[in-house]
Amino acid sequence: MKSIRVFLVTVILAVVTLFSFISALRGYETSLQEVERMFDSQLVEKAKLIANINVQSIVRNVDSSDTAFQVWQGGNLIGSSDNASQTILGKLQPGFRYHNFEGYRWRTYSYYNTINAQWIIVAARQDIRFSLAENIALKAVLPAVIGLPILAVLIWIVVSRGLHPMRRLAHELGDKQANDLSPLSIAVNSQELSQIVSSSNDLLARLKSSLLREKQFASDAAHELRTPISSLKVQLYNISQEQPERNKEFGELQKITHQLEHVVEQILALYRTSPDEYHTRFEAIDLTSLAQQVIAEEYDNYERKNQQIEFFGQRQLILGDKFSLTTLIQNLLSNANKYTPNGGHIIVKIKRENDQVVLLVEDSGPGIPTYEHERLFQRFYRVGGDRHTSGESGCGLGLAIVKRIAELYNAEITLEPSSFASGTAFTLHFSAIIPVTLDSKQS
């Protein structure tokens, strides 16, 4: 049951309906019994009335066809109604009985008049009696049945009013921004809801404290690491100037230093692009020009591996932030550069599809198995682990940052095989804002 209100109304109405049904059934049975007793009392009164008028012959048209009577004296029928049989109706014993004649079942009452030594037997058709009793009983329970829909509406209104503070609480929680961990300001009067609000505020306070500690640690650690890394790079440069002839170990040390610097920068980028802390006001960004700029800045990396990179773009504007989009493109291109072999091919495309701007980065690398796609964007995860067959170093944060930035822009990101014999194509769909196109090509 998805709705608490529907659940409460359904359960309450079901319980009320069950008890109403039981009560109505019991009332129906009781009403039938009461009506039966009333009709039996009428038979008794009729028998006494007939005894007092001293009937001595067949009496015609004294009553309706649903009743009949006989008067017996000394074993002889001395009087009766015109619709009564000539045989005795039941037994000459005091009390109520049932007797069949004229094709109907009759309720009979035998009364002995001690003054005249006469037996008076009065009969009433049972089917008519039952029909009348049933109508009376149904009229007694009908209001309870008719009242169920009205009761359901009243229950719905009462439950809705009772849950109104819950809806206000849900709306306040739903309206909170991702970075808003301030206490709830909703005023509540109920004890149960005040406990929920108090517990929620305590949780928000603990989350805020925990996130502050985590962010402070990540920021401080990354910034503090920059200083010794910069000093290390300076010292390595000085050593390289004093000892031009460098050995293999020195090259490895430079490579490790570069990798460490890369990890620190990626941690900072991941922190800056966190949706919870992203406050930059978006502006119109030319994604095509930005991609061309990133390619130009990173061109030495492709030239070093003798890779051919082609860019096909139609100038498209999206709402965004230059830093985050630059970081996204850099990480996509860095990923392609690392895992595309020497002499390989990389293609970058920016195009318009309806109301979306599409960024495509594909390479001729080894490709990524389909079963790895789910984990590919996890932090610190690398396909093949740290001992990747490409031999390229990495920290496993690049694509996690790409995923995070895509979430900032509500952009859809997909992975497919590239158009080459092997490789991977990353595609991102952004919302376009201005339908401007200008063909350009760079290779």
Side-chain angles (χ1 to χ4, degrees):
M1 184 83 56
K2 295 182 178 180
S3 171
I4 296 178
R5 177 169 53 182
V6 173
F7 172 76
L8 289 176
V9 172
T10 302
V11 171
I12 294 174
L13 188 60
V15 173
V16 172
T17 302
L18 177 62
F19 278 95
S20 298
F21 174 76
I22 295 174
S23 300
L25 183 62
R26 182 60 181 168
Y28 176 78
E29 294 175 348
T30 303
S31 299
L32 284 179
Q33 293 172 1
E34 290 296 329
V35 174
E36 284 289 332
R37 282 193 289 269
M38 182 185 68
F39 287 155
D40 286 346
S41 297
Q42 290 180 350
L43 285 180
V44 173
E45 295 299 324
K46 285 182 179 181
K48 292 180 179 181
L49 177 63
I50 293 171
N52 291 331
I53 64 176
N54 193 20
V55 176
Q56 298 292 330
S57 62
I58 297 176
V59 180
R60 301 181 181 277
N61 300 324
V62 297
D63 211 337
S64 60
S65 59
D66 61 334
T67 60
F69 69 88
Q70 292 178 337
V71 180
W72 293 83
Q73 188 175 39
N76 297 317
L77 180 63
I78 63 173
S80 67
S81 61
D82 61 348
N83 60 342
S85 67
Q86 298 302 306
T87 60
I88 189 169
L89 300 177
K91 298 179 180 180
L92 298 178
Q93 295 177 356
F96 293 95
R97 295 174 183 81
Y98 289 99
H99 190 74
N100 297 328
F101 69 92
E102 297 292 334
Y104 297 100
R105 186 167 180 79
W106 299 70
R107 175 75 164 172
T108 64
Y109 175 70
S110 300
Y111 173 72
Y112 182 68
N113 186 354
T114 57
I115 298 175
N116 298 327
Q118 293 177 343
W119 283 97
I120 294 90
I121 303 176
V122 183
R125 278 178 52 179
Q126 184 63 18
D127 60 324
I128 297 178
R129 278 166 53 101
F130 181 79
S131 178
L132 292 173
E134 188 177 47
N135 288 335
I136 295 173
L138 287 176
K139 289 180 180 179
V141 301
L142 191 59
V145 177
I146 295 176
L148 282 177
I150 300 175
L151 183 62
V153 174
L154 292 176
I155 292 174
W156 181 272
I157 294 174
V158 171
V159 171
S160 298
R161 288 183 63 86
L163 293 177
H164 182 66
M166 290 289 291
R167 291 198 300 274
R168 288 194 292 120
L169 175 60
H171 288 157
E172 182 169 350
L173 287 171
D175 292 339
K176 274 185 170 293
Q177 299 298 321
N179 62 330
D180 183 9
L181 295 177
S182 61
L184 299 173
S185 59
I186 182 173
V188 294
N189 298 322
S190 62
Q191 179 180 358
E192 294 81 2
L193 194 57
S194 63
Q195 293 176 352
I196 295 177
V197 173
S198 177
S199 299
S200 299
N201 286 336
D202 289 343
L203 177 61
L204 289 173
R206 292 195 299 270
L207 283 174
K208 185 176 183 179
S209 177
S210 176
L211 288 176
L212 284 174
R213 288 194 302 269
E214 179 183 349
K215 290 181 292 186
Q216 191 66 40
F217 172 77
S219 179
D220 291 347
H223 281 288
E224 289 298 323
L225 283 172
R226 276 178 166 177
T227 301
I229 291 175
S230 298
S231 299
L232 181 59
K233 290 177 68 177
V234 170
Q235 295 301 325
L236 288 175
Y237 175 78
N238 292 335
I239 294 174
S240 67
Q241 296 300 313
E242 295 176 359
Q243 299 180 3
E245 295 182 1
R246 291 166 288 175
N247 53 27
K248 181 180 179 182
E249 287 74 11
F250 185 84
E252 289 294 327
L253 184 58
Q254 287 183 315
K255 182 178 179 181
I256 293 173
T257 303
H258 176 74
Q259 182 181 357
L260 182 58
E261 182 182 30
H262 175 70
V263 171
V264 171
E265 293 300 326
Q266 292 288 62
I267 291 175
L268 280 176
L270 189 64
Y271 164 71
R272 289 171 182 169
T273 58
S274 172
D276 295 341
E277 292 297 323
Y278 201 68
H279 303 288
T280 305
R281 176 175 293 181
F282 283 1
E283 59 183 358
I285 299 293
D286 180 2
L287 192 62
T288 301
S289 176
L290 189 62
Q292 290 174 325
Q293 180 181 342
V294 173
I295 292 174
E297 292 174 353
E298 304 289 335
Y299 196 78
D300 288 344
N301 296 328
Y302 313 116
E303 193 173 33
R304 190 163 43 249
K305 296 184 69 172
N306 194 28
Q307 294 171 342
Q308 182 181 3
I309 180 168
E310 290 186 279
F311 177 83
F312 301 88
Q314 295 177 325
R315 183 173 181 267
Q316 299 294 345
L317 300 181
I318 65 172
L319 283 177
D321 165 65
K322 185 175 181 180
F323 168 76
S324 61
L325 290 174
T326 300
T327 303
L328 180 142
I329 297 172
Q330 284 176 341
N331 280 286
L332 285 175
L333 291 178
S334 174
N335 185 77
N337 170 248
K338 285 181 179 180
Y339 301 112
T340 300
N342 293 339
H345 204 134
I346 299 172
I347 294 179
V348 180
K349 292 182 181 179
I350 296 178
K351 57 183 179 179
R352 181 70 174 267
E353 290 184 357
N354 299 324
D355 59 344
Q356 292 185 324
V357 173
V358 179
L359 169 63
L360 171 69
V361 177
E362 60 179 329
D363 57 61
S364 60
I368 302 173
T370 304
Y371 62 85
E372 296 276 12
H373 288 183
E374 288 293 329
R375 302 184 59 189
L376 191 62
F377 296 100
Q378 295 179 4
R379 294 181 181 182
F380 308 112
Y381 178 76
R382 299 186 69 199
V383 177
D386 293 334
R387 300 180 179 276
H388 196 276
T389 54
S390 66
E392 293 286 348
S393 62
C395 60
L397 287 176
L399 292 180
I401 294 173
V402 169
K403 180 68 172 179
R404 181 66 61 85
I405 297 175
E407 291 173 350
L408 287 174
Y409 290 86
N410 293 320
E412 179 186 0
I413 180 170
T414 58
L415 275 73
E416 296 178 350
S418 70
S419 58
F420 303 106
S422 64
T424 304
F426 289 82
T427 306
L428 286 93
H429 293 78
F430 299 90
S431 296
I433 57 172
I434 300 177
V436 178
T437 60
L438 179 63
D439 292 338
S440 63
K441 177 177 178 180
Q442 175 182 328
S443 62

